[in-house]
Amino acid sequence: MVLLLLLVIAVSVGQANMIYDVNLPAELMPYWFHTNPKAAEACKQDEQCAYAELLKTSNASVCWGYEDDCTEDHQYSHPKCDGQFISKGSSIHNKVDQVSTFYKTADFGYVKKKMESLTVVCQPEHEGDSILTCAEHTRYCRATNIYFDLTKLNSKSRKTRYQENIFAKGDVGGRCKLKKNVLRNMGSHKSPLQSWYAELEMYTSLDYLPIQDGRCDIVIDKPTFIVKLDAGVSLYHHFCDFINLYQSMHMNNSFSTDVTIVMWDTSSWDYADFFVDTWRAFTDYNIVHLRQLDGKKVCFKDVVFPLLARMRYGLYYNMPLVHGCNGSGVFHSFNRFLLHRLEIKRNIPIPGKVRVTVLQRNTRYRNVLNQVALVEALERDAQLLVTLVEYNTSVPFLDQMQQSQMSDVFIGMHGSGLAHLLFQPDWGVLFELYNCGDSYCYSDLSNLRGVKYMTWEDESKVTQQDKGHHPTLGAHQKFTNYEFDVDEFVRMVNKAKLYVLSHPTYVAAVATAQPPTTHGEREQTTADVDNKDEL
């Protein structure tokens, strides 16, 4: 009886520790508790549990949207669609189809589909065996007791970040029964940032236990994510990495930061990461580069190969977004997740005022030639609090995020800095001053985040400096500078202002929170994002 009581206490303590380790904002905790009912019960029985009152007052049926018992009326998000659809040659014939397709391809329905495709690729047969499970096309995999022989990696002589075919039979594997045909059929998307097939193609059924039998030079005990990253110099591209890592945490039901993250990069190159502070939301430790393991036989007790940045039909790169819809719960909760973990203060609106951030470029192209006149025109509106920012390397990225969260309206030319819309408040407006012919990039991202998107409407009131000078493509809209009609600019910002002031979430926030002390002078700040003239 005493032993049983001690066991119950131990389980309760373990669940309690799990609760504190998850570190999600309070508004997301009811959804986490739904997928972790034992932790919820332990919290209810623990007088010291910080979420005990929350469990009493929150709806116990709320769910993310990928759980088997999650009903539509209780799921985290309900995308809004305009009911405009194209029936000819399309699978979308009505608004119901429009909403459903958006949810399944751009929301937690996407996560659900990936979870449903999980298949055991290597089956354990005895205690202590390995297991390998993968989603379709090896876009996501997880494994236990997996062995990698990196003695022939030789990263010092490699210049390719994602060199394929570096393993021979027996170089990667575990003791389990491999389903060879299942693995082989998952290889059709073999590509560096689209699947993990190149890394797992040679997975072998070993006749020994690599960890227990001492075959590993290094054993990584801590739960691990192995990542292949997109461009760390671009906010837009690097956050493809982070949003997919966040989705993978959902797939694995693991939100702890007590994890190792290994960057799978077969080259000797360093990785320029202008947004390195973001990793604090995912791990308590420094990133381990693959070259640090070069020449070793390495075993991972518990490892996840997460969703990748450039998957076919992925989020958000290469995704054919259903137009006319907005408000992905994945992106909304990602916003809350990041702000909480990186300790970014939430925007408390100022009654009757709208904070406007104008992003200034300091690059060769896509500069606004009459920017001073545009900003001065906005400053004449007493309802607008205008801040001019230049996003470069002079200010820490977390300061940039804070500025963006405080931006009711964010204005800038086409460029990766506009991905700061991910951090705006729910009532926010992104005004892409000019999209330079790339009409869907940031409108799609705005629709995913659920903020309003605007871009220049009257082509007769914008002046292009010249035809553009792309080094290989010739004339191109992204490779020149622009001047904008001041009155038209003010008209459009006024539309954005009225949208913010009438947004229900803004109105509710004003009614329930005390606004901070502020002043109306323009501020000049700098921050880090857009230092490349990307196409």
Side-chain angles (χ1 to χ4, degrees):
M1 184 67 180
V2 173
L3 181 61
L4 179 60
L5 180 60
L6 289 174
L7 180 60
V8 170
I9 292 173
V11 171
S12 298
V13 170
Q15 293 294 336
N17 290 338
M18 183 181 180
I19 293 168
Y20 294 116
D21 198 31
V22 74
N23 189 23
L24 291 175
E27 65 188 290
L28 299 186
M29 286 302 294
Y31 300 89
W32 181 83
F33 276 123
H34 182 87
T35 56
N36 296 275
K38 291 183 179 179
E41 190 59 34
C43 180
K44 291 177 183 178
Q45 297 177 11
D46 181 3
E47 295 180 356
Q48 303 301 316
C49 181
Y51 301 105
E53 286 301 315
L54 178 67
L55 285 169
K56 293 177 183 178
T57 58
S58 64
N59 185 345
S61 299
V62 295
C63 44
W64 296 111
Y66 48 75
E67 305 91 337
D68 290 338
D69 63 345
C70 187
T71 58
E72 184 177 345
D73 55 329
H74 289 125
Q75 67 192 27
Y76 182 86
S77 56
H78 297 85
K80 297 179 178 64
C81 297
D82 60 14
Q84 302 298 313
F85 45 84
I86 302 174
S87 58
K88 186 177 180 179
S90 171
S91 60
I92 300 174
H93 304 294
N94 51 52
K95 186 174 181 178
V96 173
D97 290 345
Q98 190 183 28
V99 173
S100 176
T101 302
F102 182 88
Y103 190 76
K104 290 176 181 177
T105 58
D107 209 322
F108 280 119
Y110 177 89
V111 177
K112 181 179 179 67
K113 183 179 179 181
K114 294 295 172 284
M115 293 175 70
E116 290 175 342
S117 75
L118 286 169
T119 303
V120 175
V121 177
C122 202
Q123 179 74 49
E125 296 185 306
H126 305 94
E127 185 177 354
D129 277 2
S130 305
I131 184 171
L132 174 65
T133 306
C134 293
E136 57 185 354
H137 307 298
T138 54
R139 289 171 175 154
Y140 166 99
C141 296
R142 56 193 183 205
T144 61
N145 303 325
I146 190 171
Y147 166 87
F148 283 100
D149 185 344
L150 299 174
T151 56
K152 298 183 289 291
L153 175 60
N154 194 21
S155 60
K156 291 182 180 180
S157 66
R158 296 186 188 275
K159 300 300 181 183
T160 303
R161 290 198 181 278
Y162 306 116
Q163 181 68 50
E164 298 182 349
N165 306 318
I166 63 173
F167 294 124
K169 184 178 180 180
D171 287 346
V172 53
R175 195 179 77 173
C176 49
K177 185 176 181 180
L178 180 64
K179 301 177 182 180
K180 296 181 181 180
N181 289 336
V182 172
L183 180 58
R184 189 179 303 114
N185 291 336
M186 288 185 169
S188 59
H189 288 193
K190 182 179 179 181
S191 181
L193 291 175
Q194 293 192 25
S195 84
W196 291 98
Y197 191 72
E199 290 72 32
L200 298 173
E201 181 179 8
M202 289 299 168
Y203 193 97
T204 304
S205 292
L206 305 177
D207 59 3
Y208 57 86
L209 293 170
I211 296 177
Q212 293 89 326
D213 293 349
R215 303 295 184 95
C216 316
D217 300 319
I218 298 174
V219 177
I220 299 182
D221 296 307
K222 199 177 293 298
T224 302
F225 286 93
I226 296 179
V227 298
K228 289 188 289 188
L229 303 178
D230 206 329
V233 296
S234 165
L235 181 73
Y236 178 89
H237 285 285
H238 201 5
F239 267 74
C240 292
D241 300 317
F242 293 128
I243 192 70
N244 282 295
L245 183 53
Y246 173 69
Q247 289 187 99
S248 299
M249 296 170 81
H250 278 276
M251 289 185 66
N252 201 49
N253 191 25
S254 58
F255 291 92
S256 173
T257 51
D258 188 20
V259 297
T260 298
I261 293 182
V262 175
M263 185 193 297
W264 192 276
D265 181 344
T266 55
S267 76
S268 60
W269 294 355
D270 290 328
Y271 186 83
D273 191 344
F274 292 171
F275 317 102
V276 65
D277 289 336
T278 312
W279 289 112
R280 285 169 40 190
F282 298 95
T283 180
D284 296 328
Y285 312 105
N286 293 330
I287 305 299
V288 177
H289 291 253
L290 189 63
R291 64 173 177 263
Q292 295 173 243
L293 307 175
D294 196 345
K296 304 293 185 181
K297 296 177 180 179
V298 183
C299 293
F300 298 90
K301 285 190 175 181
D302 182 2
V303 64
V304 169
F305 302 83
L307 297 168
L308 293 146
R310 299 199 180 199
M311 298 177 296
R312 301 180 204 178
Y313 310 112
L315 280 180
Y316 45 84
Y317 193 90
N318 282 337
M319 184 184 67
L321 189 66
V322 177
H323 293 137
C325 297
N326 70 83
S328 165
V330 170
F331 281 77
H332 184 275
S333 61
F334 178 65
N335 171 279
R336 300 301 197 265
F337 167 85
L338 276 186
L339 297 182
H340 174 77
R341 289 204 168 177
L342 299 179
E343 299 180 334
I344 304 298
K345 295 179 181 178
R346 293 277 289 274
N347 185 327
I348 300 177
I350 303 169
K353 302 288 185 179
V354 174
R355 297 184 179 98
V356 178
T357 296
V358 179
L359 179 61
Q360 173 178 295
R361 291 177 66 87
N362 187 19
T363 54
R364 185 176 179 184
Y365 301 118
R366 275 175 276 150
N367 292 301
V368 179
L369 300 175
N370 63 332
Q371 180 173 270
V372 172
L374 298 182
V375 172
E376 288 179 347
L378 295 186
E379 291 177 325
R380 289 194 282 271
D381 186 336
Q383 287 186 293
L384 301 181
L385 304 175
V386 184
T387 302
L388 182 65
V389 299
E390 181 185 328
Y391 279 7
N392 53 47
T393 57
S394 62
V395 171
F397 181 55
L398 297 187
D399 291 348
Q400 304 166 37
M401 289 183 66
Q402 185 65 73
Q403 175 64 38
S404 301
Q405 166 58 200
M406 294 300 178
S407 302
D408 304 318
V409 180
F410 193 91
I411 304 173
M413 289 289 287
H414 178 85
S416 64
L418 296 187
H420 269 260
L421 68 92
L422 293 170
F423 319 128
Q424 282 187 266
D426 294 346
W427 55 80
V429 176
L430 176 75
F431 181 6
E432 183 175 22
L433 187 54
Y434 200 65
N435 62 36
C436 302
D438 194 347
S439 57
Y440 292 120
C441 181
Y442 292 102
S443 63
D444 280 357
L445 193 55
S446 296
N447 286 330
L448 287 167
R449 170 61 188 95
V451 299
K452 182 175 178 59
Y453 173 82
M454 297 172 56
T455 192
W456 196 260
E457 297 172 350
D458 191 340
E459 288 287 335
S460 69
K461 294 183 178 181
V462 58
T463 303
Q464 190 168 317
Q465 186 179 36
D466 52 38
K467 63 182 180 180
H469 308 280
H470 186 268
T472 59
L473 300 179
H476 199 290
Q477 288 179 293
K478 293 184 181 179
F479 291 82
T480 186
N481 300 307
Y482 294 85
E483 184 172 327
F484 297 88
D485 181 87
V486 175
D487 291 338
E488 178 66 6
F489 175 72
V490 171
R491 182 189 71 81
M492 292 201 67
V493 175
N494 191 56
K495 284 176 59 177
K497 178 185 73 174
L498 295 176
Y499 173 86
V500 170
L501 292 174
S502 62
H503 195 286
T505 309
Y506 173 92
V507 173
V510 167
T512 58
Q514 290 294 323
T517 302
T518 187
H519 58 82
E521 291 91 357
R522 184 175 101 199
E523 297 179 12
Q524 174 80 39
T525 65
T526 56
D528 156 2
V529 165
D530 213 354
N531 72 332
K532 292 279 183 180
D533 282 318
E534 76 277 15
L535 174 59

